[in-house]
Amino acid sequence: MEGDVPSKKAAKKAAKAAEKQQKKAEHKGPVQAQNDEPDISEGKYGTYKLIQSDGSYMEREYVDVKDMGEEFAGQNVWVRARLQTSRAKGKQCFAVLRQNSATIQLLISVNDVREVSKQMVKFTGNISKESIVDVQATVVKTASPVESCTIKDYELFASEIWIVSAAKTQLPLQVEDAARPETDDPEALKIRVNQDTRLDNRILDLRTPANQAIFRLEAGVCRLFRDILTKKGFVEIHTPKIISAASEGGANVFTVSYFKSNAYLAQSPQLYKQMAIAADFDKVFTIGAVFRAEDSNTHRHLTEFVGLDIEMSFKHHYHEVMETIGQTFTDIFRGLQEEFASEILTVGQQFKVEPFKFLDPPLRLEFPRAIQMLKEAGVTVGEEDDLSTPDEKLLGRLVKAKYDTDFYILDKYPLAVRPFYTMPDPNNEKASNSYDMFMRGEEILSGAQRIHDPEVLTQRALHHGIDISKIAAYIESFSFGCPPHAGGGIGLERVVMLYLGLDNIRKTSMFPRDPKRVTP
Amino acid sequence: MEGDVPSKKAAKKAAKAAEKQQKKAEHKGPVQAQNDEPDISEGKYGTYKLIQSDGSYMEREYVDVKDMGEEFAGQNVWVRARLQTSRAKGKQCFAVLRQNSATIQLLISVNDVREVSKQMVKFTGNISKESIVDVQATVVKTASPVESCTIKDYELFASEIWIVSAAKTQLPLQVEDAARPETDDPEALKIRVNQDTRLDNRILDLRTPANQAIFRLEAGVCRLFRDILTKKGFVEIHTPKIISAASEGGANVFTVSYFKSNAYLAQSPQLYKQMAIAADFDKVFTIGAVFRAEDSNTHRHLTEFVGLDIEMSFKHHYHEVMETIGQTFTDIFRGLQEEFASEILTVGQQFKVEPFKFLDPPLRLEFPRAIQMLKEAGVTVGEEDDLSTPDEKLLGRLVKAKYDTDFYILDKYPLAVRPFYTMPDPNNEKASNSYDMFMRGEEILSGAQRIHDPEVLTQRALHHGIDISKIAAYIESFSFGCPPHAGGGIGLERVVMLYLGLDNIRKTSMFPRDPKRVTP
């Protein structure tokens, strides 16, 4: 094997030689050629040739912006970061370097000791914003805090600066503008970047500190969800997105051309989760794309979103499952508080974020109780009606006022408003063994005990006027012995939006899809 | 809050009362009514009414089959499991209970002390296979090991048996047959269940011990992949499956009706991973469905599979990324060995599994070396040709013979056989900075350094005869400053198939999709 991989030592030697050669080649580059005066910074700035893995600079190590502090004070370090801004004025250029959510001030000033020429200062002032640069600099404690940067107590004094990848000079949006705090100030509103401009230029928009934080937190939600359930003995499964028939009548389903026939995109993994239960996997979860061909252009609908789905067999009562799901939520909320405090803070610097409150164990209300609370607040709701979105929001406020929680479970929905496969309540013919879960008054999970008996399922389907022949395979699934089970589906983007208190689901989908948008 | 949730104590009391009532109701059930003789087992067997969460039996606790051992010897326990088989003969009925991959023998014999009547024995003998039952039984040490069960040293003497969910009597396949070891014995082949019968009745097929193990191990691959990368600072992202245009010319892409227009299903998340890199996420991974509208009916092609995708910015050389991916594989292999030894053993009881061998760090070969090895083995391959599937397999055998590894990295593919966005090798105009990774001679990852410069990318696209206007948005992505980066995509089902040495990818996809199958 050694014969195939060059040793590290040899690689370093080759790299050093290549670095020398490359530098020679580059300081004859276009930038220096424009200046007639002798340049003491020759070979210390310019544009790298395309990084094509030729072995250059391989021994060079870099320090992360977020780590700049006492540990590196007085040291000469290399940094690779974006040039967020630069202003050259005479013999000085002030710049800001950004790496993910961290920023630091960079000073390039004409200096004989550091061998910084006015040509180098001018060069730096002309580098286009958002370009990626390699900077060699000394880490220096600042006299007074740099309020505009996340690293306030240290700045960098540059001795080399090289463009790694240049951004074009005309950007469709300025990251600084996209990162401005939300405010009602009319002057500030003028330079606010609107949602469509952001999404059309998502690569730039995603570079804002808030977006860097939002999507790291979103990854955290998925990780916590999986880790919590794995510890409880759940098995992760993968369910097909391409399906042969729409499970509930075919409304709101996307059609796919499938070789010489048609197929559909799954609106949820429910049938497959249930099959996994019938196949003895006991407790399963799956994370994946789900599709809704709904022409809804609202702040909380997407045509494609990430579903976090759970299905679990139980022994006696569906509350075994409902409580497992509820506990999973409180564990996720606690995990976010503990592990993502800095991300939550960063998001809060741009958006108005109210801390998310929850109880442990979570609050469970029964549907009739909710109706009663709404009635007491002056809203007329039928006892067998579903809640409208405004009623849900009002209920969220009432629950928050009374119980001081942004999360709760609403149990025992009317049978009439739930899908045919929902298990009826054995003690109340108008109720069902089903539940929704809410965050800040918006539904983020819908779930229920499913009917696991083919005969009862057939009766209920007939009652709903469903053509039995079309769901024969679904019903058949329960004829080989199936344990009682319940579950639910969660929309990832909604959870993140509502946890952070954001106003639009497009803020929590990296590349959102809605009826009017399938790009980028 | 307390007002809304009944206390545990109250619930237990109510449950106990309900249990009494339910038992009363049930021992008047149809089964006992057929018998005229007095029945000492009355109220100790029968069929439960549908478990509808009415609060019955809520205090009853169950023991898992896999845990039956010394700890419970002599104790009276409850078990909920499938009745895999039952044979009543006179005053005795021998049955096998199965739970996931674990099985135990159950004896029901006429007995005055245990109050087991011949009616009860007969009832048990008539329970249809695969029904789920609740059994109360004493755990007893066996005189000699029960070879046909996974629990060999203990068996259960039943005192109660209740049907929780009955399977129909005519099953489309027998789980015992589906679980039979693969063999060349012609007699055994007769009762082998063929692939299509298995897949058509996947719920039953998935109950075999081997399948229970395969999909638990598959979940383990995903978990290890994510945990290893998360520890290295990778961020999980989610990329859209519905896209506006096919990235590489439109071949092999499924078309979706998208409101009044058309869209497509993504063949890979590559563009979006790269956008995340250009948006400063540095190191990303994503797990999700990818779609290939290829009419390939082979042992290793699916039209929908689970992609494990990685993209990572690097400082100097794409080997930083390639080595990270290679190390991720060896860490996964080691994790599977350590955590899934019993699953691997279970799969090995049905299928011929050769242990998977790997080196750490993994073997890296360069393409010309592979060509040379093939030539020495008598195969003619052009130096700028891609490897054919048979050549890849032969190479896998040659590498195994020489280096004793089932996993290796083949680096520096000819530029001519790679996509236009692959970075050319700066030192050899015929080579590229790209690699494939192999398990048991089959490709499981294809990756490369991507071109991160819009001009070079345009040149390469033109060289490939690609209509630049159709990929303008892709090229534009790199004009706002983008770090050098590389990555790769892995097919989950292939990894599991090849790790275990299985012969068909349909064995490692829970609900496989191919040109001829979109059900169940």
Side-chain angles (χ1 to χ4, degrees), chain B residues 129-430:
Chain B
K129 283 182 186 181
E130 294 300 310
S131 294
I132 296 173
V133 291
D134 265 10
V135 172
Q136 193 189 40
T138 307
V139 183
V140 178
K141 192 146 173 65
T142 52
S144 59
V146 183
E147 290 304 337
S148 59
C149 289
T150 64
I151 304 289
K152 299 183 190 313
D153 299 333
Y154 291 88
E155 61 186 333
L156 299 173
F157 287 4
S159 50
E160 289 200 32
I161 185 160
W162 298 90
I163 297 175
V164 173
S165 174
K168 57 183 184 183
T169 46
Q170 293 291 328
L171 298 177
L173 64 81
Q174 301 300 321
V175 176
E176 279 179 291
D177 293 340
R180 270 178 223 284
E182 281 200 338
T183 164
D184 300 326
D185 172 7
E187 277 309 301
L189 278 174
K190 279 186 202 161
I191 44 168
R192 213 164 120 177
V193 185
N194 77 37
Q195 184 91 269
D196 274 322
T197 306
R198 288 175 187 274
L199 295 180
D200 288 341
N201 304 285
R202 193 61 160 160
I203 289 180
L204 287 163
D205 182 44
L206 287 172
R207 292 180 191 167
T208 62
N211 276 334
Q212 290 286 315
I214 286 170
F215 292 99
R216 282 174 167 80
L217 182 135
E218 189 156 281
V221 171
C222 286
R223 176 166 55 76
L224 289 163
F225 176 82
R226 287 185 301 246
D227 289 354
I228 292 162
L229 293 174
T230 299
K231 262 188 211 139
K232 291 183 202 277
F234 279 73
V235 179
E236 182 179 21
I237 61 169
H238 299 281
T239 66
K241 311 309 169 211
I242 296 177
I243 56 173
S244 63
S247 59
E248 283 173 68
N252 302 334
V253 178
F254 289 114
T255 305
V256 183
S257 299
Y258 197 78
F259 299 99
K260 284 169 187 161
S261 178
N262 277 336
Y264 306 92
L265 291 181
Q267 289 173 293
S268 99
Q270 198 198 313
L271 167 56
Y272 295 96
K273 290 188 300 177
Q274 290 193 260
M275 286 175 71
I277 295 299
D280 288 350
F281 284 92
D282 283 342
K283 302 169 176 184
V284 298
F285 71 84
T286 186
I287 296 186
V290 292
F291 306 92
R292 303 279 162 93
E294 248 175 279
D295 199 0
S296 300
N297 294 280
T298 78
H299 79 284
R300 62 177 197 154
H301 285 90
L302 294 171
T303 52
E304 177 184 341
F305 62 91
V306 178
L308 309 179
D309 269 88
I310 293 177
E311 203 73 26
M312 173 180 157
S313 68
F314 62 82
K315 291 293 192 289
H316 310 294
H317 201 293
Y318 75 97
H319 282 177
E320 298 166 39
V321 180
M322 196 185 76
E323 282 162 15
T324 300
I325 300 175
Q327 197 59 49
T328 301
F329 270 108
T330 53
D331 288 352
I332 290 174
F333 300 148
R334 188 173 302 104
L336 292 177
Q337 274 183 346
E338 286 168 5
E339 296 180 44
F340 292 87
S342 106
E343 279 79 4
I344 294 167
L345 212 66
T346 301
V347 176
Q349 278 157 6
Q350 177 163 2
F351 302 104
K352 291 166 203 154
V353 174
E354 287 276 313
F356 190 85
K357 293 205 159 183
F358 61 96
L359 302 174
D360 189 1
L363 173 67
R364 184 185 75 90
L365 290 177
E366 294 203 353
F367 197 83
R369 178 71 180 272
I371 298 295
Q372 188 194 333
M373 285 174 75
L374 285 169
K375 276 186 181 158
E376 284 166 12
V379 178
T380 326
V381 199
E383 277 171 24
E384 283 191 74
D385 292 345
D386 207 351
L387 297 178
S388 68
T389 304
D391 287 351
E392 286 178 349
K393 288 206 175 162
L394 171 58
L395 187 59
R397 289 195 296 275
L398 297 172
V399 167
K400 178 75 178 274
K402 183 161 185 179
Y403 300 97
D404 198 29
T405 178
D406 287 309
F407 175 75
Y408 74 99
I409 302 170
L410 192 53
D411 193 16
K412 306 237 73 93
Y413 269 68
L415 183 59
V417 304
R418 306 298 275 199
F420 73 94
Y421 48 75
T422 308
M423 184 65 86
D425 183 334
N427 305 315
N428 175 353
E429 61 175 20
K430 291 189 172 170

Side-chain angles (χ1 to χ4, degrees), chain A residues 339-370:
Chain A
E339 295 179 45
F340 291 88
S342 103
E343 280 79 4
I344 294 167
L345 211 66
T346 301
V347 177
Q349 279 157 4
Q350 176 163 4
F351 302 104
K352 292 166 201 155
V353 174
E354 286 276 312
F356 190 85
K357 294 203 159 187
F358 61 96
L359 302 174
D360 188 2
L363 173 67
R364 184 184 74 92
L365 290 177
E366 293 203 353
F367 197 83
R369 176 72 180 273

Side-chain angles (χ1 to χ4, degrees), chain A residues 4 100 241 280 304 369, chain B residues 4 100 241 280 304 369:
Chain A
D4 300 304
N100 309 130
K241 312 308 168 210
D280 288 350
E304 177 183 342
R369 176 72 180 273
Chain B
D4 300 303
N100 310 129
K241 311 309 169 211
D280 288 350
E304 177 184 341
R369 178 71 180 272

Side-chain angles (χ1 to χ4, degrees), chain A residues 445-485:
Chain A
L445 173 136
S446 198
Q449 178 180 355
R450 330 292 189 178
I451 298 170
H452 61 284
D453 179 88
E455 280 172 42
V456 179
L457 191 57
T458 305
Q459 285 164 24
R460 291 297 305 161
L462 287 171
H463 179 85
H464 276 251
I466 290 169
D467 179 351
I468 295 295
S469 69
K470 288 197 173 158
I471 58 163
Y474 180 66
I475 295 175
E476 170 94 353
S477 308
F478 305 103
S479 61
F480 310 121
C482 181
H485 61 286

